[in-house]
Amino acid sequence: MIANNTNPREMEQVYRHLPESEFKDVSDRILYEDNHLFIFNKRPGEIVQEDLTGDESLEQLVKAYIAQRDGKPGAVFLGVPHRLDRPVGGIVIFAKTSKALERMNELFRTGQVSKIYWALVCKRPPEDEALLTGYITRNEKINKSYISDTPRN
């Protein structure tokens, strides 16, 4: 996003132009949209909000898509009531209004909306159910986390 003016009241937001194939890809991954919500199919490897890597986030991609689709010259409001980690694919809900963001935040906060994670495996595990214990180790330099069998000292 590039600001054309330094006066915050007069700032016009300019989003990058999506090539036709990318525009269609974004359009194909919209699961639901109305005046308040934009529900999107996130692929593993994509980030929902900007991070230290500088990679384009879905938040920015969807803003660019909406601005282009709707011919919107100014800033696009898109609130993020929840995130999914980069390696995870699944449904991401974006709020298109501040009121929708407030309401979605409340639903997540009070547990009225929750996330369910499913794991895909190459072969059937030896047991139908088990408790897996792992310890998360974070590498801040590359902005990644890893699971290990032993706690970090």
Side-chain angles (χ1 to χ4, degrees):
M1 184 168 39
I2 303 163
N4 289 339
N5 195 325
T6 55
N7 181 343
R9 297 194 110 160
E10 297 174 14
M11 280 178 67
E12 181 178 315
Q13 304 297 321
V14 178
Y15 301 96
R16 74 176 179 88
H17 179 79
L18 304 179
E20 186 178 336
S21 61
E22 189 175 12
F23 186 89
K24 182 178 179 339
D25 177 63
V26 171
S27 180
D28 289 346
R29 294 195 288 149
I30 300 169
L31 301 174
Y32 176 82
E33 182 180 7
D34 63 20
N35 291 336
H36 310 283
L37 299 174
F38 188 100
I39 301 178
F40 194 72
N41 183 15
K42 176 196 170 307
R43 292 186 179 124
E46 295 176 322
I47 56 172
V48 176
Q49 285 185 306
E50 292 180 2
D51 65 7
L52 299 175
T53 65
D55 295 342
E56 182 180 43
S57 67
L58 285 182
E59 180 183 18
Q60 287 302 317
L61 177 65
V62 170
K63 283 180 178 182
Y65 171 82
I66 291 171
Q68 187 171 325
R69 181 194 66 192
D70 299 349
K72 202 162 168 39
V76 173
F77 180 89
L78 198 68
V80 183
H82 78 104
R83 295 177 298 280
L84 294 177
D85 291 338
R86 183 185 288 255
V88 176
I91 296 172
V92 177
I93 300 170
F94 293 104
K96 292 172 65 178
T97 66
S98 58
K99 189 66 171 174
L101 178 60
E102 182 181 310
R103 289 178 177 163
M104 290 306 303
N105 283 339
E106 180 68 9
L107 291 173
F108 277 102
R109 189 185 67 72
T110 59
Q112 295 177 62
V113 174
S114 61
K115 299 183 211 177
I116 297 173
Y117 288 86
W118 292 82
L120 297 177
V121 296
C122 294
K123 63 180 184 176
R124 184 180 177 92
E127 300 174 38
D128 287 340
E129 286 187 35
L131 175 65
L132 301 175
T133 302
Y135 300 91
I136 297 176
T137 303
R138 180 119 178 104
N139 183 331
E140 295 290 340
K141 290 181 184 175
I142 60 173
N143 198 30
K144 287 197 174 196
S145 297
Y146 301 92
I147 298 290
S148 65
D149 293 332
T150 57
R152 185 175 174 193
N153 293 336

